[in-house]
Amino acid sequence: MLDSFFRSLAENHDLYTEALGETAAMVVYSLFFSTIIGLFLGICLVVLRPNHIYENKVLYHLLNAVINVLRSVPFIIILIAIIPITKWIVHTTIGVRGAIVPLVFYTAPYIARLIESALLEVNPGVIEAFQAMGASRRQIIWRVILKEARPGIVLGLTIATIGLIGATAMAGVLGAGGLGDVAIRYGYQRWEPDVMYVCVIILILLVQLMQSAGNRISKKLRKH
């Protein structure tokens, strides 16, 4: 089996390199936009809740419900349902560009919940202490809440990145390219299991790499 694995790796290295590049592009661009949106939504979910610095029950419950709805829709449904929006934004629904919009729709609410969980771990006593010292609400968000929650945020983004890698494999079904697309086309449709195994092993290594890097960065931040 190892022989066939390395033979496939050597014979199709161009295919794997191209697919890895497509997967990396989908993950990097989607993670960038999802993190910006998810960070904003996560902060809003925390500071708008009752007894917090920007308390607004109506907005909090509305935002909470919207995020719950978006998170309840499976990715494969989002992929198809927002095709008109995807076409309007990036002028195509296929390839890497066509996959980024649904990936952002899928990941941003998920990141918002992870950010919310990380921010809620900040000791309320620390926030009250800074309020007593006269810190503004903006300073409390940027210099207290986000700073204290950095290790949890890093771990949350690590989990989101791993989920995003899995979602890119599903995006391959609609011609987005990437390792998932290669695994399905060659492993299932052409029945070349060696190619599928190589893609799966590359994906496993990617996930291990992301998890190790996230754990290490989070651990380092906890020491500071």
Side-chain angles (χ1 to χ4, degrees):
M1 181 165 174
L2 276 177
D3 290 344
S4 61
F5 170 79
F6 286 113
R7 189 171 58 250
S8 175
L9 197 60
E11 291 174 353
N12 302 300
H13 64 276
D14 288 341
L15 177 68
Y16 299 131
T17 303
E18 184 182 355
L20 182 60
E22 290 169 344
T23 296
M26 283 189 277
V27 171
V28 169
Y29 285 114
S30 304
L31 186 64
F32 175 75
F33 292 114
S34 301
T35 300
I36 292 173
I37 298 169
L39 187 61
F40 174 74
L41 294 176
I43 292 171
C44 288
L45 279 170
V46 171
V47 299
L48 292 174
R49 66 178 49 230
N51 301 319
H52 219 288
I53 56 177
Y54 282 102
E55 177 181 347
N56 187 318
K57 292 179 182 176
V58 175
L59 277 179
Y60 169 73
H61 288 298
L62 181 65
L63 184 60
N64 197 43
V66 169
I67 290 177
N68 280 344
V69 169
L70 291 174
R71 284 207 58 208
S72 64
V73 182
F75 176 62
I76 195 71
I77 303 297
I78 293 178
L79 202 60
I80 297 167
I82 67 164
I83 280 178
I85 299 174
T86 303
K87 195 167 186 178
W88 179 66
I89 294 176
V90 295
H91 307 295
T92 182
T93 57
I94 59 173
V96 172
R97 280 199 303 155
I100 289 173
V101 176
L103 284 170
V104 171
F105 265 76
Y106 174 69
T107 312
Y110 184 50
I111 289 180
R113 284 297 182 205
L114 294 171
I115 297 289
E116 180 193 20
S117 298
L119 299 186
L120 288 176
E121 288 181 4
V122 177
N123 186 349
V126 178
I127 298 173
E128 290 170 6
F130 275 85
Q131 283 178 313
M133 287 188 288
S136 67
R137 290 185 290 189
R138 187 176 298 180
Q139 288 173 326
I140 289 173
I141 291 174
W142 290 104
R143 298 184 182 178
V144 181
I145 299 177
L146 287 176
K147 188 176 180 182
E148 292 290 321
R150 286 181 303 172
I153 291 173
V154 170
L155 284 179
L157 291 178
T158 303
I159 295 169
T161 305
I162 291 170
L164 201 49
I165 291 172
T168 61
M170 281 190 277
V173 174
L174 292 187
L179 291 166
D181 177 52
V182 171
I184 292 169
R185 276 193 293 124
Y186 285 79
Y188 178 68
Q189 295 173 350
R190 301 186 187 183
W191 194 242
E192 296 182 27
D194 292 347
V195 177
M196 184 179 66
Y197 294 145
V198 172
C199 289
V200 170
I201 289 172
I202 293 173
L203 286 170
I204 290 172
L205 291 175
L206 269 179
V207 169
Q208 295 299 320
L209 186 67
M210 291 295 169
Q211 190 65 62
S212 299
N215 289 344
R216 182 166 294 187
I217 294 170
S218 176
K219 191 176 178 181
K220 191 170 286 187
L221 287 173
R222 285 185 196 280
K223 291 179 179 176
H224 291 82

